[in-house]
Amino acid sequence: MKKNKKVSLKDIAKEVGVSIATVSYVLSSAKNGRVSDEMSKKIKKVAAKRNYRPNRIAQSLKSGKTNTIGLVLADISNPFFASIARIIEDEAAKLNYTVIFGSSDEKAEKSSRLIDFLSSHQVDGFIIAPSEGSELDIKNLITQNIPFVLIDRYFPEIESNYVVVDNFKASYQAVEQLAESGKKKIAMLAYSGGLFHMEERIRGYETVLERDALSTESSLLKRIEFENIEKDVKLAIDALISSKESIDAVFFATNTLAIHGLKYLDELGFNVPNDIAIASFDESEAFDFYYCPLTHVKQPLLEMGKKAVQVLITQISNPETEVSQLSLDAKLIVRESSG
């Protein structure tokens, strides 16, 4: 089957009766000041009729930009990151940018490969939720003068653009609510590793316990390996409920931890909140199907995504722009699960 010849600027110019330069100017410029409105409309009409598609490679060589953004997320299966990806994609589209994204699965090696791959495809900049151990990749982006914004988490020792929430404050408020409900033995399940945002959530938890002179036994804080979530959550809960002084509340550091934890507590026959109170950092659509409305920290996803795109586009447009570091407030949604 013979393929149709790809329509070129020359073809459109010939049909309209103008120069190739005129056609190129009209189809590639936001403003058509050098060409009459009538002629501009005629050129665009012919281009649409003949299904003209611009040569993006040629355009990027000319402009030095591809109008693409590389988005590297920690775990696209997590509803939090899936929502962030959609918001970033929609916001970028408004500014005529296309988003290419991948998931690092919280692995520094995979994150590094994704960044290298996207860099080789000449993305104009990155939005990254960095994995533990990916500091070198971030430093390399700075060395190479590639614009980027970190989202959800960042490295305090690296001067960079970021858009995050105040994790300490949000965690503090969630645990404080459990304490004010009369809970004395509050446990926490958090991911292991040293990512700053997770350590800040732990610090918020521990600060409330110390302030209220509640039990601060190290055994009440359980760290979970991302690769073994289901198994580790079960082991952690088994250890917590078999201790001499049984816990009366659990604060989950992420929605994924909460989902696995609640599922196992149900299997064990625990009732929320009568037997055990619950609060979670982040929300999830799965929470809507749980019999007890869950107290959770609601992050400003829309604002986070929009701000990240805006900061990045500003950096792309003007590399000399000062570093932008935004810490947004989350909102505690108090429901029945926290007692």
Side-chain angles (χ1 to χ4, degrees):
M1 182 177 177
K2 186 178 180 180
K3 293 184 178 179
N4 293 328
K5 180 185 176 183
K6 186 176 181 180
V7 178
S8 67
L9 294 175
K10 183 178 179 180
D11 296 326
I12 298 171
K14 184 177 179 180
E15 181 171 338
V16 178
V18 295
S19 69
I20 296 175
T22 299
V23 175
S24 176
Y25 175 76
V26 170
L27 297 181
S28 64
S29 302
K31 299 179 181 179
N32 299 316
R34 298 197 320 230
V35 182
S36 68
D37 289 342
E38 183 180 354
M39 181 56 69
S40 175
K41 290 177 182 178
K42 186 175 182 180
I43 290 171
K44 290 178 180 178
K45 184 176 180 180
V46 171
K49 180 186 72 173
R50 302 196 62 172
N51 199 29
Y52 169 73
R53 293 290 181 269
N55 187 326
R56 295 298 183 190
I57 296 176
Q59 286 184 339
S60 65
L61 288 172
K62 182 180 179 181
S63 66
K65 294 181 180 179
T66 60
N67 276 67
T68 55
I69 292 171
L71 175 60
V72 180
L73 299 172
D75 177 18
I76 195 62
S77 67
N78 187 319
F80 170 81
F81 288 114
S83 297
I84 282 285
R86 183 55 185 269
I87 292 166
I88 288 173
E89 185 178 34
D90 290 346
E91 188 66 16
K94 295 176 185 177
L95 301 170
N96 198 33
Y97 274 80
T98 300
V99 177
I100 306 173
F101 66 87
S103 177
S104 71
D105 298 328
E106 295 286 8
K107 297 176 181 177
E109 299 83 2
K110 188 174 181 181
S111 175
S112 183
R113 290 197 301 270
L114 283 169
I115 292 173
D116 286 344
F117 173 80
L118 293 168
S119 293
S120 69
H121 284 68
Q122 303 298 311
V123 296
D124 294 334
F126 286 91
I127 297 176
I128 303 172
S131 305
E132 182 183 2
S134 60
E135 291 93 334
L136 182 58
D137 291 309
I138 303 306
K139 291 177 181 178
N140 286 339
L141 290 175
I142 295 173
T143 301
Q144 297 168 35
N145 293 316
I146 297 176
F148 71 92
V149 179
L150 302 183
I151 192 168
D152 181 53
R153 65 276 291 265
Y154 68 101
F155 302 111
E157 68 276 12
I158 301 176
E159 184 75 4
S160 67
N161 296 306
Y162 61 73
V163 180
V164 299
V165 298
D166 188 332
N167 285 280
F168 169 80
K169 181 179 178 181
S171 177
Y172 183 99
Q173 291 174 338
V175 179
E176 180 181 50
Q177 203 281 325
L178 290 170
E180 289 178 348
S181 297
K183 308 308 173 187
K184 303 295 184 183
K185 298 276 289 186
I186 304 172
M188 179 180 186
L189 267 63
Y191 284 126
S192 60
L195 282 170
F196 185 67
H197 76 300
M198 190 59 57
E199 294 305 310
E200 283 293 274
R201 294 178 191 182
I202 293 172
R203 188 167 71 90
Y205 159 77
E206 292 177 335
T207 301
V208 173
L209 300 191
E210 291 171 0
R211 184 202 70 178
D212 292 357
L214 300 177
S215 177
T216 56
E217 296 174 21
S218 59
S219 60
L220 293 181
L221 171 62
K222 299 296 183 182
R223 292 182 181 265
I224 309 299
E225 293 290 340
F226 179 79
E227 295 82 3
N228 301 305
I229 296 176
E230 186 172 1
K231 178 183 176 181
D232 282 4
V233 166
K234 287 183 177 181
L235 290 173
I237 290 175
D238 283 341
L240 289 168
I241 63 177
S242 63
S243 62
K244 292 181 180 180
E245 295 182 72
S246 188
I247 59 171
D248 54 15
V250 179
F251 173 50
F252 292 100
T254 74
N255 52 8
T256 305
L257 290 171
I259 290 170
H260 285 286
L262 290 169
K263 181 180 178 181
Y264 189 52
L265 286 170
D266 284 349
E267 290 177 11
L268 296 174
F270 281 82
N271 177 272
V272 176
N274 294 333
D275 299 325
I276 193 165
I278 300 292
S280 171
F281 205 109
D282 280 338
E283 56 189 323
S284 171
E285 288 184 358
F287 290 177
D288 294 336
F289 301 98
Y290 197 66
Y291 66 85
C292 178
L294 292 166
T295 293
H296 63 273
V297 172
K298 182 180 177 65
Q299 298 199 62
L301 300 187
L302 185 62
E303 187 177 5
M304 287 177 70
K306 286 187 172 184
K307 291 289 187 184
V309 173
Q310 291 165 6
V311 170
L312 180 61
I313 300 304
T314 299
Q315 287 286 328
I316 291 171
S317 302
N318 182 11
E320 301 304 317
T321 303
E322 292 185 4
V323 168
S324 178
Q325 299 179 335
L326 304 176
S327 182
L328 310 176
D329 283 336
K331 182 178 181 181
L332 179 65
I333 307 298
V334 180
R335 291 181 174 162
E336 294 174 18
S337 71
S338 56

